[in-house]
Amino acid sequence: MLALYELPGGYALLRVVEGGGFKLVKQQLFKDSEEAVDAAKSLMSSELHGTLKKFLKKAGIQEELAVADAKLGGVIKKKLDIPCIHNADVDEIMRKIREQITELVEGLTDQNMLQMSLGLAHTLNRHVLKFSAEKIDVMVIQAIGLLDDLDKELNTYAMRVKEWYGWHFPEMAKILQDNLQYARIILKMGVRENAASTDLSDVIPEDLVAAVRDAAIHSMGVGLTEEDITNIKQLCEEVISTSEYRGQLFEYLKNRMTAIAPNLTTMVGELVGARLISHAGSLMNLAKAPASTVQILGAEKALFRALKQKQKTPKYGLIYHASLVGQAPTAHKGKIARIAACRAALATRVDALAEDVQGPTIGVEGRESVEFKLRKLEGTHILDKADKGIQRMEEPAYSRHEEQAKRPEPTTEKPFRITEDGAKELTKEEKKKRKREAEEAGEEPPAKKDKKDKKEKKEKKKKAEEA
């Protein structure tokens, strides 16, 4: 029996000698690292590599061949008609060969074996994990997580600034709603007494400047020391720097989402798309999920609570924050969320699995389709794709009077019936008329004549049955 053993640098064919020994029969080395990687990838997927096929053909094997992979043995038997076996005894044979391989192959040492294995492992990892740096969705997951953390931190800091400075100038919080403007005004103005002498027009509009100066004159706030205003200014600097970094991070996230998932970004936007990817774990996991899962992704607690309490399940999760769902009326939000989830799932699969994505074509088509459905549900102007114009969908209201007017007018004529022989049945007036005509002509009335005919037919039928 022969045994096929795969080395990092090639293949070895060994004969199993009685007594548990082995003898090298034939050896095949790889030309370069690329061939070694291709052969390793083929072995991982249980496929017959071209180099191995040539090697086995040249060997001219006529006896049983022990292989470590049962699937590979089946492929070899099918393509080369070589009987292959794989069982517990073969596993033991492979273990013994692995222990003695440096002694069986001439010129092979433990150090060489380690170097070849390490080099092949590194090269194989680079090939298996071969994708563009722009396609790494981990960056998107980390960026959206940091963006959410920055939003929470900004809200906390801004609220603290307003509460702290509000003891000194409480009226300014009602005039300036924007947190960034509020922090910049404090940095530039300091205490409220400097409002009249400080130029604030480069931060806020003129009408707000006048309102701030007027409120500073009549303010009811307490005074601040130099140390107090210094600490408040440092907190304002933190708010401004964090806000500026958040803007840079958002631009970075937009660029990453455009590179990784252009179709999904076009469908639901950068933030919603990034949150969907982050919640699913990766772009590939999101592509594997059905549209129904994409629709309620992010509402798992509500879903399981509804299932447990036997209530209505949620209609949307993270996709609710998409602009398409947000602009839909309340009555149609669930329907639009379902349609948008279907299109988003299709766009995600194109982004994750398509090799050459030529722009967000699927995303644009999907968004147009959802917008068309939305306008149709609202009953407003709908884009007619055939005419490439705008038409108004107006269905005529139902009118009972118009419906009755369309019906045919009732007739005075009575419906006639058909007799068994297919003739038209006579009405009473027609029967009387025929009877009168027969009496005038001195003939027997048709009714009596018909009765006689029927009677004669019955008598004939009885006679025929008796005979």
Side-chain angles (χ1 to χ4, degrees), residues 267-456:
M267 267 300 305
V268 297
E270 298 88 4
L271 291 176
V272 178
R275 286 194 175 97
L276 287 171
I277 293 172
S278 176
H279 202 83
S282 67
L283 182 64
M284 187 60 69
N285 289 348
L286 185 62
K288 292 175 183 177
S292 57
T293 303
V294 175
Q295 182 181 348
I296 60 168
L297 207 64
E300 288 84 2
K301 287 184 180 179
L303 174 66
F304 292 125
R305 183 171 61 247
L307 292 173
K308 187 178 180 181
Q309 298 176 358
K310 295 182 180 179
Q311 296 176 349
K312 289 185 178 179
T313 55
K315 295 179 180 178
Y316 29 67
L318 292 169
I319 205 167
Y320 176 80
H321 301 287
S323 59
L324 289 169
V325 182
Q327 66 190 13
T330 308
H332 301 313
K333 280 189 186 293
K335 192 173 288 186
I336 294 299
R338 184 171 64 250
I339 299 169
C342 291
R343 294 291 182 172
L346 181 62
T348 307
R349 287 161 194 165
V350 172
D351 292 331
L353 303 172
E355 294 182 357
D356 297 323
V357 181
Q358 301 295 333
T361 53
I362 301 296
V364 172
E365 290 177 7
R367 191 175 183 87
E368 288 178 356
S369 175
V370 177
E371 288 173 352
F372 181 81
K373 294 278 186 184
L374 178 60
R375 287 193 293 268
K376 189 175 180 182
L377 289 170
E378 290 175 346
T380 55
H381 289 77
I382 294 179
L383 181 67
D384 191 352
K385 295 181 180 179
D387 300 334
K388 293 183 180 179
I390 296 178
Q391 298 179 350
R392 188 173 180 82
M393 284 288 292
E394 291 182 350
E395 294 185 0
Y398 175 76
S399 174
R400 181 170 57 84
H401 302 291
E402 290 181 6
E403 191 69 24
Q404 289 178 353
K406 292 177 184 178
R407 294 176 184 172
E409 295 182 1
T411 58
T412 55
E413 296 181 2
K414 293 182 179 180
F416 61 86
R417 291 182 294 178
I418 306 298
T419 58
E420 292 179 359
D421 55 354
K424 181 180 176 182
E425 188 175 352
L426 301 174
T427 60
K428 288 182 178 180
E429 294 177 359
E430 290 176 343
K431 287 179 179 179
K432 288 179 181 180
K433 188 179 178 182
R434 286 182 65 180
K435 187 177 179 181
R436 205 181 306 117
E437 290 175 353
E439 288 175 353
E440 290 175 358
E443 296 177 357
E444 200 172 354
K448 289 183 178 181
K449 192 177 181 181
D450 292 340
K451 284 181 180 179
K452 282 184 179 180
D453 292 340
K454 286 180 181 180
K455 198 173 182 180
E456 288 176 1

Side-chain angles (χ1 to χ4, degrees), residues 108-294:
L108 184 64
T109 62
D110 291 334
Q111 188 177 359
N112 292 341
M113 191 74 176
L114 182 63
Q115 288 178 352
M116 285 192 295
S117 301
L118 190 62
L120 179 62
H122 287 173
T123 312
L124 186 61
N125 284 337
R126 281 195 293 269
H127 278 73
V128 171
L129 303 175
K130 184 181 179 182
F131 43 72
S132 172
E134 296 180 352
K135 285 285 183 182
I136 303 176
D137 50 7
V138 177
M139 303 301 172
V140 170
I141 295 170
Q142 297 296 331
I144 192 63
L146 179 58
L147 198 69
D148 292 339
D149 293 342
L150 287 176
D151 286 337
K152 292 177 184 176
E153 191 176 343
L154 267 174
N155 289 334
T156 305
Y157 283 3
M159 183 180 66
R160 183 63 58 196
V161 167
K162 286 188 175 182
E163 285 183 1
W164 200 349
Y165 194 75
W167 286 97
H168 174 65
F169 193 1
E171 293 82 7
M172 194 170 78
K174 297 178 182 179
I175 299 169
L176 301 177
Q177 303 295 328
D178 185 65
N179 296 329
L180 193 59
Q181 287 181 350
Y182 192 93
R184 283 174 175 166
I185 288 293
I186 295 172
L187 273 180
K188 194 159 189 179
M189 181 177 66
V191 293
R192 66 172 183 264
E193 287 79 9
N194 299 333
S197 59
T198 307
D199 183 19
L200 306 174
S201 58
D202 57 339
V203 182
I204 54 176
E206 289 292 339
D207 55 340
L208 293 179
V209 171
V212 169
R213 286 174 178 170
D214 185 57
I217 297 170
H218 305 92
S219 179
M220 301 294 291
V222 298
L224 290 177
T225 63
E226 284 294 327
E227 189 178 2
D228 293 335
I229 197 66
T230 302
N231 284 289
I232 293 173
K233 282 185 176 180
Q234 286 179 355
L235 183 57
C236 291
E237 288 175 358
E238 287 290 330
V239 171
I240 293 169
S241 61
T242 307
S243 182
E244 289 174 352
Y245 176 62
R246 188 203 176 279
Q248 294 175 5
L249 185 65
F250 180 69
E251 288 297 322
Y252 166 78
L253 181 64
K254 273 178 70 174
N255 297 333
R256 278 292 183 184
M257 282 297 295
T258 306
I260 293 170
N263 291 288
L264 180 64
T265 304
T266 306
M267 267 300 305
V268 297
E270 298 88 4
L271 291 176
V272 178
R275 286 194 175 97
L276 287 171
I277 293 172
S278 176
H279 202 83
S282 67
L283 182 64
M284 187 60 69
N285 289 348
L286 185 62
K288 292 175 183 177
S292 57
T293 303
V294 175

Side-chain angles (χ1 to χ4, degrees), residues 7-19:
L7 292 164
Y11 300 106
L13 193 64
L14 301 107
R15 183 178 297 281
V16 181
V17 183
E18 291 182 4

